[in-house]
Structure formats: C-alpha cells, structure tokens
C-alpha cells in the first residue's frame, strides 16, 4: 500500500510540475509586470525556472525509486542488524542496549541519505546555480560545508534522539505528552542556538555600520516598538547571489540580519520596506503561530504513534520479525503518517501565504507601498524568481505568494488606504 501511495503522490507531483513547466515555457510577459520587468529579464527567469523544474522532476523520480527499494528490499531491517553487529563488535554491547544501537542505526541512515543527496546538491549548485550566475562557492567550500554540517547534526541529533527514545520507553502510557514536552524544550533551545552558534560556523555576521541606513532602520523599529538590539550584515555572497533579510530572538532581544546581496541592489528605502514586511510578521506573531501549529501537529503525531507502538504487525510488515526498536517504530510510523503530513503541509503553506499578504499590508500601512513594490521586483529579478506562476503548483508548493499576486494585493491596499484617507 505504501508503494502505491508513493507512486500516486509521484504522479500528482509530476502533473503539478508539468503545469508549472508549461507556464515556464511561455514567452508572454504577464501584464502586471509590464513596465517593471524587461523581456530579457523575463526570459532569463523563465530559463532558470525550467532548469530548476527539470532538476526537481529528476530528483523526485530518483526519490520514488529509492524509497520504494527501501520499503520492498527490507533495507531498514538490514541496517538495524548491521548496527547491532557493529555495536557488539566494537562496544561489546548486546541487543538490550537499544538506545546505543538506535543511535548507530540513525547515524548510518543519515549518512547514507546525505551521501545519496550529495551528487544532487553538487549538480544543483555547480551546474544550475553556476549556469545562471548564482553560485559563488568553490567545491572545497562545498565539501567543507558538508563535513561541518554532518558533524554539527551528529552533535545535536544524537543526544536529542537518545533523550527522545528514553522518554518513549520510560514515559508509560502517556509517554507522548512527555515526548512532546521534550521536543518543545529542544525546539526552543535550537531557536536560540541555531542563529547564534551554528550559523556563524558557515557565515560571518558583522554589525551594520553607522550611517543613514542604520538610522532609518532604528527609526522604523522604534515606530512600531520593535525591541531591536543589534543589526547585522551576513556575507551571503560567500556562497550565493540570492538575497534575503530576517530577524530572530526572544522577547526584547531581537536582532535583524541583512544579506549583503540585498544591500548591493536595493536602495535604503527598499531595504526598510523589506524589513517593514518582516516587522509585520513580528507584529502579528506569525512566527509564533506557525511554530505553535507545527508543535501541535507533532503532538498529534506522537499521540497516534502511542496508539500503534505496541502493534507488532507494524514491525513485521516492514521486515522486523525479531525486534521492535522504538526509534525504528517511529520511522515506520512516519511512512504511514505521510498522507496526513501532506495535507497538514498544504494547510501550513496556505496559512503562510496569507501571512505574507498581511505582512505586505503592514508595510503599506507604514507608508512603504511604493518602496515595497520596487523592492520585491528587484528581489525577484535578482533571484530570477518565478514570474509566470501556475496557480495549482504555487498553492501546493509555495509558502509565499507569487510576485504578481503580491503586487496586485499592494495596489489594492493602496486603494483602500487612499479611500480611507479621503473619508477622514
């Protein structure tokens, strides 16, 4: 049944990609972008989109074959057996030490998946991104990033999974509650650790120099009572020509990060407009809401897992006839939960897209409508973003509305504000 589900999902995905690719073959510039985007810029964005879509289809096809083989050829039971033999040979521990064996199993599985993914990542960066002028990194930096990322993941994931398995096994009938609380605590920890400890391993963060832009951003933050503590510029150009901006931090310790690539092609007013959009997310608690929704889904998943963890048929159906390891049980459960996860993922995307419109409206209300429009267009041109979207592909795969949709929404917001001002 699972292989049938994988195939059906692949067919649906292929249909959406076909619709998307068909639009990317169009040579007609959307009416909403005329006057903002040249024919040449549109042609380049379309070519980039076609390359990315062909790559996505190839990767999806490979993933279908890989996952089908993992399910039908009993790869996971074999890997669990190998982990047990290695544990016994090098550590002298038997099968009673399930947590140790689970960690060895998980690291083998993660490394195998990362190595399988490596050629695809290499092709995406050094062929597609290079072809379209985005790649800025050398192959040495690529390998270095891969090694550091793998080590960092191991450092954080091993104690996390060891603790999670311990909670699963010792939490009693209501273990799903304690497991969820454990995940919440770990998530909050990583929200702090990731931007302050992990990201600096890959990029350099420097304070934004004092000057006009710094003063404009501080004034913007003060106008909406955003508790800005520090302003940073990150060397995103070290690896890519893509650009962005974001903020992080808890309570009154907020920090804003600007990509150097954003500053290179945006005016000060456009940069402030992009940040006004981000402050809209903060004002409406969008990040917290999305995190809360994600944690609620994890709670539901843990609860459902608690209902079937004792079902030996679950393990037998996947080739585990002699053992019922808890971590493996959850991995098997995730296969069964995949259809539900697709639905919740679609819901998250839908909510996130609406949040983007609200954040744009917030920036417009602050007087940044014109700068936001021009800033979004520059970001789109710089990133060679999709300018001729297919609606089905967009609503299913994108957590941001397409440029045309956002520009139209900004125009509508300006009209509403204009009528309101006249009434006042």
């Amino acid at each position: 049944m699972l292989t049938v589900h994988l195939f059906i999902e692949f067919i649906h995905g292929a249909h959406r990609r076909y619709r998307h690719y068909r639009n990317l073959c169009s040579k007609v510039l959307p009416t909403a972008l005329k006057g903002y985007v040249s024919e040449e810029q549109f042609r380049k964005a379309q070519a980039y989109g076609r390359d990315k879509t062909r790559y996505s289809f190839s990767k999806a096809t490979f993933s279908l074959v890989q996952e089908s083989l993992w399910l039908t050829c009993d790869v996971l039971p074999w890997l669990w057996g190998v982990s047990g033999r290695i544990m016994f040979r090098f550590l002298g521990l038997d099968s009673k030490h399930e947590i140790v064996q689970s960690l060895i199993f998980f690291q083998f599985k993660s490394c195998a998946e990362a190595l399988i993914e490596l050629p695809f990542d290499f092709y995406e960066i050094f062929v597609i991104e290079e072809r379209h002028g985005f790649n800025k990194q050398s192959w040495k930096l690529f390998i270095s990033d891969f090694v550091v990322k793998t080590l960092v993941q191991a450092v954080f994931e091993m104690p996390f999974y060891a603790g999670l398995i311990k909670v699963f096994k010792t939490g009693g009938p209501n273990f799903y509650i304690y497991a969820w609380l454990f995940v919440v605590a770990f998530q909050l920890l990583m929200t702090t650790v990731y931007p302050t400890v992990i990201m600096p391993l890959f990029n350099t963060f420097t304070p934004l120099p004092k000057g006009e832009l710094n003063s404009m951003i501080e004034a913007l933050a003060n106008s909406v009572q955003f508790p800005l503590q520090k302003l940073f510029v990150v060397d995103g150009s070290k690896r890519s020509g893509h650009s962005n901006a974001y903020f992080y931090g808890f309570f009154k310790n907020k920090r804003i990060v600007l990509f150097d690539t954003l500053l290179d092609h945006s005016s000060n007013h456009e940069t402030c407009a992009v940040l006004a959009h981000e402050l809209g997310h903060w004002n409406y608690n969008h990040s917290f809401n999305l995190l809360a929704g994600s944690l609620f889904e994890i709670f539901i998943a843990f609860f459902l897992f608690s209902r079937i963890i004792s079902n030996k048929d679950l393990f037998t159906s996947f080739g585990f006839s002699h053992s019922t390891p808890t971590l493996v049980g959850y991995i098997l459960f995730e296969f069964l939960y995949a259809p539900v996860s697709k639905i919740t993922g679609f819901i998250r995307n839908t909510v996130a897209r609406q949040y983007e419109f609200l954040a744009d409206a917030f920036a417009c209300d602050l007087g940044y409508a014109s700068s936001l429009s021009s800033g979004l267009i520059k970001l789109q041109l710089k990133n060679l973003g999709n300018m001729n979207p297919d609606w089905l592909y967009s609503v299913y795969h994108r957590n941001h509305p397409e440029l045309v949709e956002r520009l139209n929404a900004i125009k509508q917001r300006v009209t509403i504000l204009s009528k309101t001002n006249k009434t006042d």
Side-chain angles (χ1 to χ4, degrees):
M1 287 296 293
L2 284 178
T3 53
V4 172
H5 164 73
L6 290 174
F7 184 73
I8 293 175
E9 175 59 29
F10 173 79
I11 295 298
H12 286 172
H15 173 65
R16 294 190 297 271
R17 290 186 182 89
Y18 166 74
R19 291 173 57 101
H20 182 54
Y21 189 83
R22 183 181 58 191
N23 276 28
L24 290 169
C25 292
S26 173
K27 298 181 181 179
V28 180
L29 181 65
T31 303
L33 297 181
K34 290 182 178 178
Y36 300 105
V37 178
S38 70
E39 294 289 344
E40 178 64 16
Q41 290 169 329
F42 178 68
R43 184 191 63 78
K44 288 181 178 180
Q46 292 286 86
Y48 179 59
R50 289 195 297 272
D51 280 353
K52 294 281 285 186
T53 304
R54 284 192 292 264
Y55 164 79
S56 175
F57 179 78
S58 300
K59 189 174 180 181
T61 304
F62 182 86
S63 296
L64 172 66
V65 175
Q66 175 197 331
E67 291 183 21
S68 298
L69 289 175
W70 280 55
L71 289 173
T72 58
C73 297
D74 291 341
V75 174
L76 294 179
W78 173 82
L79 195 58
W80 178 257
V82 170
S83 302
R85 289 191 291 274
I86 290 177
M87 178 180 68
F88 180 77
R89 179 175 180 180
F90 293 97
L91 301 178
L93 302 177
D94 58 22
S95 58
K96 295 180 181 179
H97 297 80
E98 182 183 319
I99 293 180
V100 177
Q101 186 172 350
S102 295
L103 295 180
I104 296 174
F105 166 84
F106 183 79
Q107 287 306 312
F108 276 148
K109 181 175 178 292
S110 296
C111 288
E113 291 172 340
L115 289 173
I116 291 172
E117 190 82 7
L118 193 61
F120 288 97
D121 292 341
F122 191 91
Y123 180 84
E124 182 179 17
I125 293 173
F126 292 99
V127 177
I128 297 178
E129 297 293 296
E130 184 79 30
R131 179 185 300 156
H132 295 277
F134 288 120
N135 179 42
K136 307 298 180 183
Q137 62 180 307
S138 65
W139 66 268
K140 291 183 179 180
L141 180 59
F142 174 81
I143 296 299
S144 173
D145 282 351
F146 174 78
V147 173
V148 173
K149 180 182 177 181
T150 302
L151 293 176
V152 169
Q153 283 183 332
V155 167
F156 285 94
E157 287 179 347
M158 289 185 70
F160 168 74
Y161 282 109
L164 187 62
I165 296 169
K166 189 69 173 179
V167 173
F168 278 160
K169 297 187 73 66
T170 61
N174 296 323
F175 75 83
Y176 61 93
I177 298 176
Y178 307 116
W180 181 76
L181 292 173
F182 178 78
V183 170
V184 170
F186 184 81
Q187 180 69 50
L188 294 176
L189 172 65
M190 292 306 299
T191 301
T192 301
V193 171
Y194 183 76
T196 57
V197 177
I198 298 178
M199 290 186 68
L201 296 175
F202 300 92
N203 291 95
T204 301
F205 294 78
T206 56
L208 179 68
K210 294 294 183 180
E212 181 183 9
L213 178 58
N214 192 303
S215 299
M216 290 174 67
I217 293 175
E218 289 181 348
L220 169 62
N222 290 332
S223 70
V224 296
Q225 298 182 327
F226 178 77
L228 176 63
Q229 294 297 318
K230 293 183 180 180
L231 268 169
F232 292 108
V233 178
V234 60
D235 58 340
S237 58
K238 178 180 180 181
R239 291 176 176 80
S240 173
H242 294 293
S243 53
N244 203 352
Y246 64 92
F247 71 88
Y248 67 93
F250 286 115
F251 306 113
K252 295 186 180 298
N253 187 30
K254 304 292 186 183
R255 303 178 183 190
I256 289 177
V257 178
L258 307 171
F259 279 53
D260 56 355
T261 47
L262 175 66
L263 301 181
D264 288 342
H265 64 76
S266 299
S267 68
N268 288 350
H269 285 285
E270 289 166 344
T271 300
C272 286
V274 171
L275 288 179
H277 167 92
E278 297 300 324
L279 294 182
H281 288 309
W282 163 78
N283 182 72
Y284 295 123
N285 294 315
H286 289 166
S287 297
F288 174 81
N289 293 343
L290 291 173
L291 175 60
S294 177
L295 292 174
F296 176 73
E297 182 185 356
I298 292 174
F299 180 83
I300 296 299
F302 280 173
F303 171 76
L304 294 176
F305 175 58
S306 71
R307 303 299 97 176
I308 66 171
I309 182 60
S310 300
N311 188 345
K312 293 186 178 181
D313 290 339
L314 170 68
F315 294 89
T316 303
S317 62
F318 284 93
F320 287 87
S321 54
H322 302 294
S323 58
T324 57
T326 306
L327 178 61
V328 172
Y330 190 74
I331 293 174
L332 302 181
F333 166 76
E334 286 184 322
F335 282 114
L336 300 176
Y337 189 74
V340 179
S341 185
K342 293 291 183 181
I343 296 173
T344 56
F346 175 79
I347 294 173
R348 275 198 307 273
N349 273 1
T350 302
V351 173
R353 289 165 65 87
Q354 294 306 310
Y355 282 174
E356 293 302 315
F357 286 125
L358 288 173
D360 283 348
F362 182 84
C364 291
D365 293 349
L366 293 177
Y368 286 101
S370 177
S371 297
L372 180 61
S373 295
S374 59
L376 289 175
I377 291 170
K378 285 185 178 180
L379 278 172
Q380 192 82 349
L381 293 176
K382 182 68 176 178
N383 295 329
L384 292 182
N386 182 21
M387 299 183 192
N388 190 31
D390 172 68
W391 71 269
L392 179 61
Y393 182 90
S394 181
V395 299
Y396 196 91
H397 292 278
R398 309 283 196 195
N399 58 14
H400 280 56
E402 304 294 353
L403 176 62
V404 174
E405 297 175 288
R406 295 180 71 176
L407 292 179
N408 288 336
I410 290 172
K411 288 180 180 179
Q412 292 175 6
R413 188 65 180 180
V414 170
T415 301
I416 293 173
L417 291 174
S418 178
K419 290 180 179 179
T420 302
N421 291 334
K422 288 181 180 179
T423 302
D424 293 342

